[in-house]
Amino acid sequence: MQFVCRTIILASLMLLLAGCDSRPSAAPQADRHRLTQFSIINALMLGHYDGFASVAELRRYGNFGLGACDRLDGEFILLDDKAYQAKSDGTIVELSQAAKIPFAVVAAFDKINELPCPQLNSLEELETRLDGQFENKELFHAIRVEAKLASIQFRSVPAQEPPFRPLAEVAKQQVVHTQKNIAGTLIGFRTPKWADSLTVPGYHWHFLSADRKLGGHVLNCELASGSIAYQQYGSWLVKLPDTLGTTGKDISVDLRREVEQVERSRGGSQ
Ligand SMILES: [Zn+2]
């Protein structure tokens, strides 16, 4: 009897292990209604640029996202479960699973809601159109636009060395790139205003070209045509670095104006 029991337990365990082995890749296991953020915007603004979460960990929470790279060495993009670094020269490098990220927003993205994208003259026009689509703007949204762009302006920033200066200062070094007649993906999130000081309020867009060679943080664009997919999220998980607050700077300060300037500014060299 004992032997039979043991055999049954062993068989069950093997089945369980077999089940684990046959599980799909990390992203589909993520909560499909939850957006996950690594660190908070105020910490990034004040110079928390050391990566603390690996790409492998981020992928456990989604297959779609954006953020900053370790030591602020470029913009971070997660698309179709692959992680990319958009360097300050605008070129793209695929990141290893071990690469560490200091700030990111990631989500499991399904093309739940789809609509065609008409010709639009600016990022603002795209955002106004999306605002008209979203049922509840107090919740979070992820947006994916597959687009043919008449033009796009995107930026990235160069790697920083400690002691890290605040992002508002570093952003003055941003390098802005302009491309015309290019196809690619806009990776976007819309965050409600009540979440400011924790994340970037309003829209935040990164770009990855269709050939995966160019990209960065989007400042403006003109859309010739495309398709839009978006998803609403009613749950928001924030994962904090152990080093939060160890720089001695008060992370509760009001940095809304600086965040707006850093995220939307078209200043810097061309
Ligand atoms: Zn960005």
Side-chain angles (χ1 to χ4, degrees):
M1 186 61 192
Q2 221 176 22
F3 172 76
V4 173
C5 273
R6 225 175 269 159
T7 309
I8 290 169
I9 289 167
L10 193 65
S12 305
L13 187 66
M14 283 174 75
L15 264 177
L16 197 67
L17 289 172
C20 287
D21 285 342
S22 64
R23 283 191 299 191
S25 68
Q29 295 169 40
D31 184 335
R32 313 207 79 77
H33 305 287
R34 185 180 65 200
L35 201 112
T36 303
Q37 183 175 308
F38 292 79
S39 192
I40 56 174
I41 192 65
N42 267 19
L44 188 74
M45 290 297 296
L46 292 172
H48 285 65
Y49 303 151
D50 283 321
F52 70 98
S54 68
V55 166
E57 187 182 356
L58 262 61
R59 287 179 57 248
R60 288 174 50 215
Y61 294 88
N63 55 4
F64 181 89
L66 52 73
C69 291
D70 189 35
R71 294 182 299 115
L72 220 58
D73 188 9
E75 307 282 345
F76 173 73
I77 294 162
L78 180 64
L79 186 65
D80 295 330
D81 211 18
K82 280 192 179 169
Y84 303 93
Q85 171 191 19
K87 295 165 76 77
S88 63
D89 65 1
T91 60
I92 294 288
V93 173
E94 193 172 332
L95 288 169
S96 74
Q97 296 304 301
K100 294 280 178 74
I101 302 299
F103 178 88
V105 182
V106 302
F109 190 82
D110 295 311
K111 290 182 177 177
I112 287 178
N113 307 284
E114 289 189 84
L115 55 146
C117 179
Q119 191 262 329
L120 295 166
N121 293 321
S122 67
L123 200 55
E124 206 177 333
E125 278 190 22
L126 172 64
E127 293 171 357
T128 303
R129 187 175 176 82
L130 289 167
D131 276 348
Q133 289 288 330
F134 297 155
E135 280 175 31
N136 187 345
K137 292 195 280 293
E138 300 305 331
L139 299 178
F140 294 78
H141 291 83
I143 312 114
R144 176 174 182 158
V145 184
E146 296 296 341
K148 283 187 177 161
L149 297 137
S151 72
I152 184 163
Q153 256 192 330
F154 55 89
R155 72 107 200 269
S156 192
V157 280
Q160 301 298 302
E161 296 295 333
F164 296 132
R165 295 172 299 148
L167 189 52
E169 272 182 47
V170 173
K172 290 174 187 161
Q173 282 179 268
Q174 72 180 5
V175 187
V176 181
H177 306 277
T178 302
Q179 288 287 320
K180 299 213 180 280
N181 301 317
I182 187 169
T185 307
L186 299 177
I187 298 107
F189 287 94
R190 187 191 183 284
T191 304
K193 211 172 176 183
W194 56 258
D196 62 19
S197 86
L198 297 177
T199 190
V200 178
Y203 289 92
H204 186 180
W205 300 97
H206 284 192
F207 170 70
L208 184 62
S209 64
D211 61 8
R212 305 297 191 247
K213 287 186 175 166
L214 295 169
H217 171 105
V218 181
L219 299 174
N220 206 356
C221 64
E222 275 180 87
L223 290 114
S225 64
S227 61
I228 300 170
Y230 66 90
Q231 191 175 339
Q232 177 179 291
Y233 296 84
S235 176
W236 184 35
L237 173 67
V238 181
K239 295 181 76 75
L240 301 171
D242 292 340
T243 54
L244 190 67
T246 54
T247 58
K249 291 177 184 161
D250 179 7
I251 53 171
S252 68
V253 291
D254 184 352
L255 295 170
R256 283 176 290 183
R257 189 179 297 176
E258 286 86 346
V259 171
E260 171 73 16
Q261 183 222 325
V262 164
E263 297 303 325
R264 306 269 176 178
S265 168
R266 294 181 200 171
S269 55
Q270 289 292 313

